Amino acid sequence: MSEWLGRWLGLDISKLMRSLIPLVISLTWYSIVILVMKNSLQELGIEYIGRVTVYGVYTISLILTSVVCCFIVDKRDKLNFAFSWMILALIGSFIFLLFSETIQTLILYALLGGISLGMGLPIHLGTFAEETSIENRGRVGGLVYFTLSILLPFLGVLVETVNLKFFSIFSIFWIGIWLLIIITWLRTENTEHSYGQFVSFRNILLDRQFYLYFFAFLTYWLIDTMEVPILKNFLEKTFGIEFVNLMLIIGTLVTAFFSIIAGFIADVYGRKKVLIYGYLTLGIAYLIVSVASYSPISWYIYFIINEITSCLFFVIFIFTIWGDISLQRRPERYYTLGSIPFFTLIFIRELLSPYLFMIPIWMAFSFAGFFLFVAVIPLLSASETLPEKEIRRRELRKYLEKAKKLREKYERKND
């Protein structure tokens, strides 16, 4: 099984584990912190200013730490530096477990959670880019997303069924066990990596490829940030909470099924083409629900399309495109800047929440569809990051396999 998986991904198992496991752990920790903060804020009955403060501390500390760590991390001590974020995550969990739930404790927990993730995630994303190649990065990213799509619903159910103190104990065991596993296993692996040309943050921001793809990602992020609260509020009032829960279940199943396929599609057909079709399809889905907002069928169509395109966008924009553009030149810097929209989503959504419900439902979805079509414009100007020869090679291989089957069929017919 492991050999087959390695051949399909085009990556040996040791490299796969080095790129997959730390990344899954860090992104799981990101979700754990979000779940703890969300449920604590609800239990404490914290008002708007308090919620914005907690999420703001988390987001700002995460981004600032990520940027600072890109300056101070050295390739020779990457592993030690990556371990330190787990220690800090454990400290934050113990503080939340031992002290009473107050807004001050929650702010401290958010601060330590943001700093710990900011220390680990850029390094793990950079390692992911180094261990994968441009030809298989989408498939490996799809496998990471598939793993997360299984783990995160479990965490969501767990935090809703147990108290937060018990959930904190679970998070301590989760991080602690993986810390021991990584210390005993990854330290036996060769973790030295050679970089190409040094690149500064300024040069990245001036890179035409970077800002064209970043603008497309930013547009999608803004739409998703603003539309989700409006959508949820409208569906609960119109169809009821049971319908919303059903849509969430359908979305979870589609995500789990399509996540690996999304990475495969990005590796076969290219990032640019997949993104363009994804934006156009999602734009059509928004237009459908804008003109048929009270039809359940239109919402089934929307949720299926939305989950499929979300898989594609997540795999490409979080795991794939920044590693492609970096060409191994300090990839953690590309990932740090490219992932900023994703990590500010919760904070911006909370910040805008009092104003989003003032927008009429038809206008919100119509604007979403329009701006998704606008987002295609920079993608048309961007270059494909998957090498043309790789796309042609796979097309030729597919053609030869088809020709072989036709020949065999013809020979059997003649016999």
Side-chain angles (χ1 to χ4, degrees), residues 188-311:
T188 64
E189 299 286 330
N190 176 24
T191 57
E192 292 290 326
H193 301 283
S194 58
Y195 289 106
Q197 179 185 358
F198 175 83
V199 61
S200 65
F201 282 115
R202 178 178 178 274
N203 289 336
I204 295 174
L205 293 173
L206 294 176
D207 186 339
R208 181 174 180 271
Q209 278 282 83
F210 177 84
Y211 68 71
L212 287 174
Y213 279 105
F214 184 81
F215 178 80
F217 183 32
L218 186 65
T219 304
Y220 168 72
W221 161 81
L222 285 171
I223 292 170
D224 189 62
T225 299
M226 293 186 291
E227 294 294 334
V228 168
I230 300 173
L231 181 150
K232 183 179 179 182
N233 183 62
F234 173 79
L235 291 179
E236 286 181 353
K237 290 183 177 179
T238 306
F239 300 104
I241 190 66
E242 293 81 7
F243 184 81
V244 175
N245 292 334
L246 176 61
M247 292 297 100
L248 292 176
I249 293 172
I250 291 174
T252 301
L253 295 175
V254 172
T255 298
F257 173 77
F258 197 77
S259 50
I260 294 181
I261 300 176
F264 180 78
I265 290 174
D267 279 345
V268 172
Y269 298 102
R271 297 31 161 154
K272 175 181 174 179
K273 184 185 295 186
V274 170
L275 287 174
I276 289 174
Y277 284 123
Y279 275 91
L280 293 176
T281 306
L282 186 58
I284 292 171
Y286 268 110
L287 291 179
I288 289 174
V289 294
S290 69
V291 299
S293 302
Y294 294 92
S295 170
I297 297 176
S298 67
W299 286 106
Y300 285 112
I301 295 172
Y302 165 81
F303 268 91
I304 292 173
I305 292 176
N306 181 67
E307 292 304 321
I308 291 175
T309 52
S310 294
C311 286

Side-chain angles (χ1 to χ4, degrees), residues 158-178:
L158 182 64
V159 76
E160 293 293 337
T161 54
V162 300
N163 61 61
L164 287 175
K165 296 297 183 182
F166 182 86
F167 190 74
S168 297
I169 296 174
F170 167 81
S171 67
I172 290 170
F173 275 104
W174 173 261
I175 297 295
I177 290 172
W178 281 114

Side-chain angles (χ1 to χ4, degrees), residues 385-400:
T385 60
L386 187 66
E388 187 70 19
K389 64 179 181 179
E390 180 66 20
I391 299 175
R392 294 289 173 260
R393 184 180 68 83
R394 288 176 175 169
E395 289 178 350
L396 178 60
R397 184 173 62 186
K398 184 178 180 181
Y399 171 78
L400 292 175

Side-chain angles (χ1 to χ4, degrees), residues 2 15 18 32 57 66 214 256 261 264-265 272 284 336 365:
S2 61
K15 286 188 174 183
R18 280 203 301 267
I32 287 174
V57 168
S66 298
F214 184 81
I261 300 176
F264 180 78
I265 290 174
K272 175 181 174 179
I284 292 171
T336 294
F365 294 150

Side-chain angles (χ1 to χ4, degrees), residues 148-163:
L148 291 171
S149 69
I150 295 174
L151 289 174
L152 299 188
F154 166 74
L155 293 177
V157 172
L158 182 64
V159 76
E160 293 293 337
T161 54
V162 300
N163 61 61

